[in-house]
């Protein structure tokens, strides 16, 4: 009689399988509890994690002071060239109860939730907001708002540095050379680019392909565009663009190219007016001299006319007498 087959026993699962199952379970729990908005401003722990991740970045600290008697919002303009950790502090001074003051933070018109700290010391209420700016989308206005009936607001405006050129049009002449200059005060762009206008389209100025242009200072806080052998077609709008890690900034310069006849036109108009005036004066002088040479011309004419009239009257008066004498002789 054959023996019945014994049931098969399974040994213990290998360690790598247990570890995989544990990691899978942990990942499911993490996905279930996570916030669907993946943003560094969603929660305070995430914000601290982002700050730690970019701890090698420079720290920018700025503050604003407000009081309950402030009549106008307080603003502070801040320029940034590269990614930075930001610490913003607002302090609000109030004589009454600080617990009745509601404190919020906003980016532009969007409410920032639970990413700031609030504490009080004496009659001063402090609020602090920390975050990291890593791209140009995070530039803009960040405001601390204190509300108790009346709203008090302090605003930090973040933007890339501005560049400056010549505000008035640059005027030059055909055949000459000119230099357009743009500067960035206390900043160093990573790259400069020049554009010219073709109607409403900006065209990059390529100094390597066209000997007409020479660009200097590409990696400094100043750039110069030299244009040689100017023609009237070179006139128009030029833009210099400074490129930073957080965005671009540009400035417009107007170039006017004149021909040499243009400045002569007012001079020629003046000369024509002078010639016309001299001609009128000479004609008046000639007429006056002619009148002085023949002062009795008008009187002689009147006398001749008077004599003619007298002669005609005499002839008319003698005619009846002659006829009378003839009648008497008969």
């Amino acid at each position: 009689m054959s023996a019945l087959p014994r049931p098969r026993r399974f040994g213990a699962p290998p360690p790598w399988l247990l570890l995989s199952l544990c990691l899978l379970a942990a990942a499911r729990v993490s996905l279930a509890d996570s916030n669907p908005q993946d943003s560094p401003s969603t929660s305070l722990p995430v914000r601290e994690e982002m700050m730690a991740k970019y701890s090698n970045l420079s720290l920018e600290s700025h503050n604003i002071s407000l009081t309950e008697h402030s009549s106008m919002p307080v603003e502070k303009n801040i320029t940034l060239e590269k990614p930075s950790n930001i610490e913003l502090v607002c302090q609000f001074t109030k004589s009454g109860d600080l617990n009745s003051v509601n404190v919020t933070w906003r980016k532009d018109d969007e409410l920032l939730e639970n990413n700031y700290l609030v504490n009080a010391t004496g009659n001063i209420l402090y609020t602090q907001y920390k975050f990291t700016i890593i791209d140009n989308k995070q530039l803009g206005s960040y405001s601390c708002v204190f509300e108790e009936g009346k709203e008090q607001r302090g605003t930090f405006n973040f933007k890339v540095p501005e560049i400056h050129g010549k505000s008035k049009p640059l005027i030059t002449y055909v055949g000459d050379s000119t230099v357009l200059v743009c500067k960035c005060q206390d900043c160093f762009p990573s790259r400069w680019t020049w554009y010219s206008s073709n109607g409403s389209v900006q065209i990059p100025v390529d100094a390597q392909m066209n000997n007409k242009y020479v660009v200097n200072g590409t990696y400094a806080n100043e750039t110069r565009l030299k244009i040689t052998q100017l023609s009237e077609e070179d006139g128009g709008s030029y833009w210099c663009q400074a490129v930073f890690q957080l965005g671009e900034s540009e400035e417009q310069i107007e170039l006017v190219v004149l021909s040499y006849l243009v400045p002569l036109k007012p001079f020629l108009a003046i000369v024509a007016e002078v010639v016309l005036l001299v001609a009128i004066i000479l004609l008046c002088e000639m007429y006056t001299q002619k009148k002085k040479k023949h002062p009795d011309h008008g009187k002689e004419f009147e006398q001749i006319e008077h004599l003619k009239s007298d002669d005609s009257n005499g002839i008319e008066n003698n005619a009846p007498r002659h006829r009378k004498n003839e009648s008497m002789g008969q």
Side-chain angles (χ1 to χ4, degrees), residues 7-13:
R8 185 176 180 181
R9 296 182 180 180
F10 295 92

Side-chain angles (χ1 to χ4, degrees), residues 60-132:
E60 293 272 344
S61 298
H62 303 278
N63 61 81
I64 282 179
S65 297
L66 299 166
T67 68
E68 60 183 334
H69 303 295
S70 299
S71 58
M72 296 293 292
V74 180
E75 294 193 19
K76 187 173 184 179
N77 296 322
I78 305 164
T79 58
L80 284 178
E81 299 181 41
K82 56 186 179 180
S84 303
N85 290 318
I86 307 298
E87 180 185 70
L88 303 180
V89 177
C90 291
Q91 63 179 49
F92 178 69
T93 304
K94 187 179 183 300
S95 58
D97 183 18
L98 295 177
N99 294 325
S100 60
V101 179
N102 183 38
V103 181
T104 56
W105 280 85
R106 295 178 179 272
K107 181 184 184 303
D108 300 325
D109 294 327
E110 180 183 355
L111 183 65
L112 302 173
E113 298 181 359
N114 304 325
N115 292 332
Y116 52 89
L117 301 176
V118 180
N119 56 53
T121 302
N123 63 336
I124 301 177
L125 191 63
Y126 295 90
T127 180
Q128 180 192 66
Y129 181 64
K130 288 185 177 182
F131 63 105
T132 302

Side-chain angles (χ1 to χ4, degrees), residues 115-183:
N115 292 332
Y116 52 89
L117 301 176
V118 180
N119 56 53
T121 302
N123 63 336
I124 301 177
L125 191 63
Y126 295 90
T127 180
Q128 180 192 66
Y129 181 64
K130 288 185 177 182
F131 63 105
T132 302
I133 292 181
I134 57 175
D135 56 42
N136 58 0
K137 294 181 181 179
Q138 294 171 291
L139 298 174
S141 299
Y142 292 81
S143 302
C144 55
V145 182
F146 300 89
E147 293 180 282
E148 188 193 24
K150 180 182 178 182
E151 178 182 290
Q152 304 288 355
R153 181 186 292 256
T155 301
F156 304 86
N157 299 312
F158 288 90
K159 57 184 179 180
V160 295
E162 295 181 352
I163 56 177
H164 304 281
K166 189 175 179 63
S167 57
K168 296 181 179 179
L170 183 61
I171 301 175
T172 186
Y173 298 97
V174 171
D176 289 349
S177 299
T178 189
V179 178
L180 310 182
V181 181
C182 282
K183 297 181 179 180

Side-chain angles (χ1 to χ4, degrees), residues 185-255:
Q185 188 69 28
D186 300 327
C187 63
F188 294 89
S190 59
R191 187 175 72 255
W192 288 96
T193 306
W194 282 93
Y195 297 91
S196 63
S197 66
N198 183 11
S200 59
V201 180
Q202 292 184 355
I203 302 175
V205 174
D206 194 344
Q208 296 179 354
M209 298 296 294
N210 194 334
N211 296 329
K212 188 182 189 69
Y213 304 108
V214 179
V215 178
N216 294 320
T218 306
Y219 300 102
N221 66 334
E222 176 182 293
T223 180
R224 294 172 177 265
L225 173 64
K226 182 178 181 180
I227 309 175
T228 60
Q229 296 298 318
L230 287 167
S231 63
E232 292 188 21
E233 289 74 18
D234 292 323
S237 299
Y238 289 81
W239 285 267
C240 56
Q241 184 186 74
V243 180
F244 303 95
Q245 294 184 40
L246 291 177
E248 298 82 25
S249 182
E250 66 179 21
E251 176 72 356
Q252 181 178 352
I253 300 177
E254 289 291 332
L255 176 63

Side-chain angles (χ1 to χ4, degrees), residues 252-266:
Q252 181 178 352
I253 300 177
E254 289 291 332
L255 176 63
V256 179
V257 181
L258 304 176
S259 67
Y260 283 104
L261 292 178
V262 173
L264 291 177
K265 287 181 180 179

